[in-house]
Amino acid sequence: MESGLCSNRMPSGVLGSERIGRRLALLSTAIGTLLAIVNIAVGLLAHSTALVSDGFENGADVISSGIVFFGLLLASRPPDQNHPYGHGRYETLAGLAVGGLLLLTGVGIFWRSFETLDRLQTPQMFALYPLYVAAVVKMVLAVAKKRVGRRIGSSALEADAWHDITDLLSTAVAFCAIGLALLNPIRFGAADHVGGMLIGLIVVFVAVRLVWNTVAYLTDTMPGHELMEQIRPVALTIPGAMDIEKCYARRTGMKYHVDLHLEVDPELTVQQSHSIAEQVRIAIRGRLSWVADVLVHVEPWPGPKAASAASTSQRDRIHSQEQ
């Protein structure tokens, strides 16, 4: 017997969360566009490879934020006949796309900086000015995306937050590289180009980490032990729920779908068993915010059939509740 096969409506809390995520991604896209244009333009005028590299990474930010925005937009669509678990995987795919974009950006930045390593040209002092502004903006965006991403359970938004953190690190590297080149052009003449190479390596490292985590979601990796342990006590608070035989969960977007094998007294009627299963489903969905829906399969409890008066009174209590 199964309960809660699918839901024909997306919970309002999920829709609200996705709306917040989309707005933040849209704001990030606008800010990233401005930073990319300023950094690349000033970097070319100031002859700074590190600043141009940072500008191209900002450009990758713009594209990645756009990917996150459309991923969240598609993920907000309610379940339908062909997608009974909803469209949450689009959000996960958006996170994977952001990781892939980061990887390509990092490799491109590193190779471009390596190619220009022998073209020593001291950058201008005004190359530092856009970096001051970019550092503050990226710090605010990274913190905002990280907090909102964790609160709404968005892997794509968290991936974009890591992209902003990468930008913050790359901005610091660019600042140090330009500063060294200005401080001693003869001794540290190649620092600007080396800074660009380091930015590329940082981006590649973060990209590999993001892709690895997102692939784990796409391959139905179980959530952490601490989350799975929350299911059992909630389920067993329902009268008639004797034990849990097994329990699985898989991520579909920003939340998890749970498959639960619930043990009940084999002497109960089909209607009574179904009632218990539905109460368990409602309780888990209501108390655990990370659960999107629960599929409950009822199993006979293997405990002693002669139980005693406790089992009998339990059946009577369930029966009286239904009446």
Side-chain angles (χ1 to χ4, degrees):
M1 178 183 297
E2 296 173 350
S3 175
L5 288 175
C6 67
S7 174
N8 59 2
R9 262 187 327 190
M10 185 72 73
S12 59
V14 176
L15 291 175
S17 298
E18 288 162 347
R19 192 175 298 113
I20 293 172
R22 292 199 304 269
R23 289 175 180 173
L24 186 55
L26 196 59
L27 176 63
S28 178
T29 301
I31 294 175
T33 301
L34 182 60
L35 287 176
I37 294 172
V38 171
N39 282 10
I40 293 174
V42 175
L44 291 173
L45 291 173
H47 308 294
S48 172
T49 301
L51 184 56
V52 172
S53 298
D54 195 55
F56 275 112
E57 194 187 1
N58 287 328
D61 264 354
V62 173
I63 299 174
S64 67
S65 293
I67 292 172
V68 171
F69 175 80
F70 285 108
L72 289 168
L73 188 64
L74 291 172
S76 65
R77 296 167 60 187
D80 54 35
Q81 186 174 1
N82 294 325
H83 303 86
Y85 294 102
H87 298 79
R89 285 287 172 88
Y90 283 113
E91 186 270 344
T92 308
L93 286 173
L96 182 63
V98 169
L101 177 63
L102 272 174
L103 185 60
L104 293 175
T105 302
V107 172
I109 290 173
F110 177 87
W111 183 251
R112 177 60 181 167
S113 300
F114 178 76
E115 277 189 325
T116 59
L117 194 58
D118 57 343
R119 305 173 194 172
L120 302 183
Q121 190 171 13
T122 304
Q124 300 297 314
M125 175 67 73
F126 63 84
L128 294 174
Y129 301 155
L131 296 174
Y132 288 120
V133 178
V136 175
V137 172
K138 291 172 183 177
M139 187 179 299
V140 172
L141 282 176
V143 171
K145 289 179 184 178
K146 197 72 176 174
R147 287 182 177 177
V148 174
R150 284 181 178 176
R151 179 157 60 89
I152 70 176
S154 170
S155 59
L157 202 56
E158 286 198 67
D160 208 31
W162 274 107
H163 197 167
D164 286 331
I165 293 172
T166 304
D167 282 347
L168 192 58
L169 292 175
S170 68
T171 298
V173 170
F175 186 87
C176 292
I178 296 171
L180 286 173
L182 289 171
L183 183 65
N184 193 330
I186 297 176
R187 188 175 181 182
F188 301 112
D192 186 45
H193 301 279
V194 173
M197 293 170 63
L198 288 176
I199 291 172
L201 291 176
I202 292 172
V203 174
V204 168
F205 173 78
V206 175
V208 171
R209 182 182 183 276
L210 290 177
V211 170
W212 180 268
N213 290 340
T214 309
V215 167
Y217 293 146
L218 291 174
T219 54
D220 289 338
T221 301
M222 290 271 284
H225 180 72
E226 65 281 356
L227 286 182
M228 295 300 295
E229 282 298 307
Q230 297 174 11
I231 296 175
R232 181 185 180 86
V234 173
L236 297 185
T237 58
I238 303 302
M242 308 300 293
D243 205 352
I244 295 177
E245 182 192 19
K246 50 191 171 185
C247 182
Y248 307 115
R250 62 183 181 277
R251 183 160 178 152
T252 53
M254 293 185 290
K255 294 195 176 187
Y256 287 87
H257 279 76
V258 175
D259 296 325
L260 180 68
H261 285 233
L262 182 71
E263 293 180 347
V264 300
D265 190 332
E267 300 299 325
L268 294 176
T269 65
V270 173
Q271 182 178 357
Q272 290 172 327
S273 299
H274 175 77
S275 175
I276 295 171
E278 185 63 17
Q279 291 178 60
V280 168
R281 172 178 173 268
I282 294 172
I284 294 175
R285 285 188 60 185
R287 299 182 197 178
L288 302 181
S289 61
W290 55 274
V291 175
D293 207 350
V294 186
L295 176 65
V296 182
H297 182 82
V298 174
E299 302 278 359
W301 181 52
K305 289 186 179 181
S308 51
S311 177
T312 304
S313 69
Q314 186 178 60
R315 289 198 302 271
D316 293 337
R317 186 170 67 254
I318 295 170
H319 183 67
S320 64
Q321 287 176 350
E322 293 177 348
Q323 292 178 335

